[in-house]
Amino acid sequence: MMRSLALLLAAAVPATAAVAAPPPSAEHTRSYAPLFAAEVEAAKRDVEASIRAGINVPVPKDPGGGFTHEQHKRNYRIIFEGGQLYRLTGDVRYRDHVRDLLLAYAKLYPTLGPHPAAANQAAGRLFWQSLNDSVFLVNAVQGYAQIRDALTPAERARIDDGAIRPMAKFLSDGSPEVIGRIHNHATWACAGVGLAGYLLGDRDLVDKALLGLDKSGKTGFLRQLDLLFSPDGYYAEGPYYQRYALMPFVVFAAAIDANEPQRKIFDYRGGIVLKAVRTAIDVTHDGYFLPINDAMPDKSLRTDELYQAVAIAYAATRDPVFLSIAERQGHTVLTPAGEALAADVAAGKARPWPFASRLLSDGPDGKGGALVLLRDRPTATGPLLVVKNTVQGMGHGHFDRLNWLYYDETGAVVTDYGAARFLNVEAKRGGRYLPENDSWASATVAHNTLVVDEQSHFAGDWKAGEKVPTQQLASSLDGPTRYSIAAIYGAYNGVAIRRALLLLDIDGLGNPLILDILRGTGGGRHRFDLPLHFSGQIIDSDIVFDRKLAERPVLGTANGYQHLWVDGVGSAADKAAGKAARLTFMQGNRFYSYHMAPPAGARFILAESGANDPEFNLRRQPVLIQRIDGADSATFVSLLEPHGSYDASAETVVGSRARVVGLDHRRLGDADLVVITLAGGRRLAIAVADNVAADALHSVAIDGTAHSWTGAVGRFDLAKGGAK
């Protein structure tokens, strides 16, 4: 028999007759730990303001960002907060305001058809897309659960049958094309329908949420847990959507655990729900989610989804590292789980989150590639090399196989544009994804990976990309030489791409070096472009650029190239054979030199996003492109060197000149050999073998001396001034 949803994360509100308030108790009069007390006070301000303003449940009209859209969002938040405040205080004004809001929805909702501002998404009733209706129901049910037993039977019936049940029916039987998907929209729908089912004692709704509309288990919440996460808890659509999807996953899981503990939902699939929470925290830098795929760069751990996830995960595990995340968030939720978390934070039980290098397998079986996080220190803000060797990421995925990003204490250094969207800004097409999301943001040239013949991977077809996994060939997560080696076959017909990215700690250098060896191999003649999107101001370069001062030509006509203004084109043809080219830029208080040893005949293109942008939707961001024309294969070797510092207050500059003075690439047998020369003559050799088997033995001769290693990567210190 199902128990009351009020057991969701908490003890239920005491059952009472008619509309009497719960009796005063220690729960209602005690003081709270500071983190929870702040949430109580903030909620009181919100709900008191709503009480003063009166009931406002408008007929839906606007898209995201518009008045009616925002008012319905405010209302579901007030329902949630007001219900929790009634549970905590017993103040009947909170109960009555939540009741009156829900009664107003019970009157309005049965009169609604598809939303008038619906566009290319499944239409909601209260909102332009049904996803937002699901979010409304997830929040509203949690608030309603706290007051339902304190209402008259007639009031309960009106709300149950006029609002909650019709919403659940619309999001289930009325939206089979949504709830039947394996996608975050379906997760929210399942959570809303399932929570409503537990609250109303409706087994049919619960089973449809858990097992799909036909109750076969081929879709539904449990199947989403099977297919949307890898065995390591990495979410198919990437970190941004992992954040968004977490709330329905954890809230519904907590309700399942409260109502059907025999399911052992937190043990399901090796504890996948809690793994997903931990992984969500790991895929951040300085608290911000890595903006790969369709993502906004400003989303952080300070979001409602993660407040719920951290509180529920701590309640399930009592792992004190979650408390340090709550401290960083500075918020929690108005549930007993949030209250217990806040009390333990105040008691000093927090322990630091163990940030570390991780290989997060992708795909439900873990065989779809990986997201590799290479860190050289256990901090939230330290150097982080992100290597994106994942699967496509469904419809929100970008065409960026073997992409990489780099972060350190200054923020994002090697960047990803993320999504072209102004979330809920009505003036920007109602806050929806913009046309430039397809024409620029998801295009391969908008990322730090190989572009062949100015085409996007998989010809820009995400469904084709979803069928082709990335091959994660080898990795090392510890030691002074951390690396990822991966390959993709099928992003372009007849072209194989293989990339090794290494994070190198070197004694005497304050920051690690990032070495990149990318090889594209294919029949016929091709144009190979390798972009680097970076943050900051260009300081200097030893490339002589032909500057386009009087006009800004556009680089191309399609596949993202139409959005790039050309600022300059340079050539390395006048340089001595084997000598690298360099571009130095400054981001924050640090300098970065990008050293390049491209194939002979390479050209360098400095460009900026923003061309062919009639509505001024795109951010202006710089990119450096290495280009080879008419080649059947090409190997690009590049090195990012962070160095020096700039102190604006003291007006001092230290170490603005690169310490790396040489970058030499040679192909020796079945291995790529890169020799890095530092100022003063110190030399370091990195060898990357084609055969990455852990027990494979390799050897190369450098300056007449044999060097051997086992496995994928060898590293050797060389004598100063050896042969070039």
Side-chain angles (χ1 to χ4, degrees), residues 314-333:
Y314 182 67
T317 65
R318 296 295 172 178
D319 187 339
V321 299
F322 284 111
L323 301 178
S324 69
I325 301 301
E327 287 181 318
R328 181 182 184 91
Q329 292 172 315
H331 288 278
T332 188
V333 286

Side-chain angles (χ1 to χ4, degrees), residues 125-313:
R125 295 292 187 262
L126 295 172
F127 299 93
W128 69 275
Q129 60 174 347
S130 66
L131 169 64
N132 300 83
D133 285 51
S134 299
V135 177
F136 184 102
L137 188 58
V138 167
N139 281 273
V141 169
Q142 291 180 80
Y144 180 39
Q146 309 309 321
I147 72 161
R148 187 172 181 270
D149 287 346
L151 302 182
T152 66
E155 289 167 341
R156 282 197 297 273
R158 286 170 60 191
I159 294 169
D160 290 354
D161 298 335
I164 304 302
R165 195 182 304 278
M167 289 182 187
K169 289 290 187 182
F170 164 66
L171 292 169
S172 54
D173 297 331
S175 304
E177 74 283 4
V178 176
I179 199 169
R181 299 174 67 189
I182 303 299
H183 190 268
N184 76 80
H185 288 210
T187 306
W188 278 98
C190 287
V193 171
L195 292 173
Y198 282 133
L199 179 65
L200 301 177
D202 188 327
R203 187 74 239 179
D204 181 61
L205 287 177
V206 171
D207 287 343
K208 286 177 177 177
L210 290 172
L211 303 171
L213 294 181
D214 63 0
K215 303 179 185 179
S216 69
K218 295 179 180 178
T219 61
F221 184 77
L222 298 179
R223 192 60 174 158
Q224 290 163 10
L225 285 174
D226 290 338
L227 298 180
L228 285 175
F229 293 101
S230 79
D232 294 315
Y234 179 74
Y235 184 69
E237 295 176 285
Y240 179 87
Y241 277 94
Q242 178 144 358
R243 164 204 60 85
Y244 187 63
L246 261 185
M247 184 168 164
F249 275 115
V250 297
V251 169
F252 192 28
I256 295 168
D257 190 57
N259 286 274
E260 300 184 76
Q262 69 277 11
R263 285 190 179 273
K264 299 185 183 300
I265 190 65
F266 286 117
D267 295 329
Y268 184 83
R269 200 187 162 204
I272 196 66
V273 171
L274 298 173
K275 282 184 180 179
V277 178
R278 293 182 189 274
T279 292
I281 295 168
D282 280 338
V283 291
T284 63
H285 183 268
D286 197 17
Y288 287 88
F289 289 96
L290 304 175
I292 56 180
N293 293 337
D294 282 344
M296 309 297 289
D298 55 357
K299 286 296 184 182
S300 74
L301 292 169
R302 300 187 67 171
T303 61
D304 287 341
E305 297 90 352
L306 266 293
Y307 303 150
Q308 287 271 19
V310 169
I312 291 170

Side-chain angles (χ1 to χ4, degrees), residues 646-687:
Y646 170 71
D647 188 329
S649 299
E651 299 182 358
T652 59
V653 175
V654 176
S656 62
R657 301 179 71 88
R659 293 286 305 280
V660 173
V661 297
L663 182 68
D664 178 36
H665 167 247
R666 315 169 200 174
R667 181 71 182 170
L668 298 178
D670 65 349
D672 286 291
L673 178 70
V674 178
V675 177
I676 303 165
T677 304
L678 302 178
R682 181 182 176 190
R683 296 193 305 148
L684 175 73
I686 302 294

Side-chain angles (χ1 to χ4, degrees), residues 69 92 187 370 376 512 575 667 669 692:
H69 180 97
V92 297
T187 306
D376 76 342
K575 293 193 170 292
R667 181 71 182 170
V692 299

